[in-house]
Amino acid sequence: MTDKEQIILLQKENESLKREIQLVKLRRQVTPHFLFNSISVAVSLVAQSPKTAMKFLRHLAQMYRYLLNYGNEYHVPIEQEMEILMQYYELMRLRHVNCITMEVSRSAKRLKHHPLPPLALQGLLENAIKHNVHTEEKPLHVVIAVEDGMVVVSNRRAPLISDSSSTHKGLAYINETMRLLFSREIEIVKTEDTFTVKIPLL
């Protein structure tokens, strides 16, 4: 191997190592954040309704098992993401009674094998709940569909007053992971009435 070839090889290895470090940092950001929020919710439910808290903790246990199985993976098949998304949706329905609904299209339910960052879809639902008003009078409705080779997650926009300074770290995690792994980025589309995130299907 010539000196030039050795230099090129070392550069590639260096870039690969940098990418690995970035991905590890991103993963470490999202997992503790999710667990902390979920445990905080469980604590509040114990005081309000022990039976609801038990149901909540069962769903949380399923999600934690998912994290144990896939938390160290850089990407997971979309069917696994759909499954954990439904677990998270059930968690949020228990937490925000009659305030959240979610519709998953048939085409989205049929998706198989497409790789996604762990907790990507869950993160989009969490993002919608975190940044929008959701009450019994004005429930939050989230739709998951497939359009033009992308999985699309959209919701009615009803921004919280306190949301103006948000950094939207969840969206940044998904976008940066997609960029590092697949050299693709998510698309964000805002209108006066809706907020939509599109993730490329690979």
Side-chain angles (χ1 to χ4, degrees), residues 127-153:
N127 187 74
I129 295 169
K130 181 179 179 181
H131 298 293
N132 292 278
V133 173
H134 46 280
T135 65
E136 290 191 45
E137 294 74 24
K138 292 184 177 181
L140 174 67
H141 184 57
V142 179
V143 177
I144 300 176
V146 180
E147 297 176 7
D148 301 323
M150 295 184 168
V151 59
V152 179
V153 181

Side-chain angles (χ1 to χ4, degrees), residues 75-127:
H75 56 80
V76 294
I78 194 170
E79 58 267 31
Q80 295 291 343
E81 277 294 289
M82 284 290 185
E83 183 178 330
I84 210 63
L85 171 68
M86 296 308 299
Q87 293 289 345
Y88 182 74
Y89 173 58
E90 292 302 324
L91 284 180
M92 293 300 101
R93 284 213 308 164
L94 292 169
R95 177 67 181 92
H96 307 283
V97 179
N98 298 324
C99 299
I100 300 168
T101 60
M102 185 173 71
E103 176 186 348
V104 183
S105 72
R106 290 183 180 180
S107 56
K109 290 178 181 178
R110 290 196 295 264
L111 290 172
K112 302 288 184 183
H113 311 308
H114 299 283
L116 289 180
L119 299 180
L121 296 180
Q122 175 273 330
L124 293 180
L125 178 56
E126 181 181 14
N127 187 74

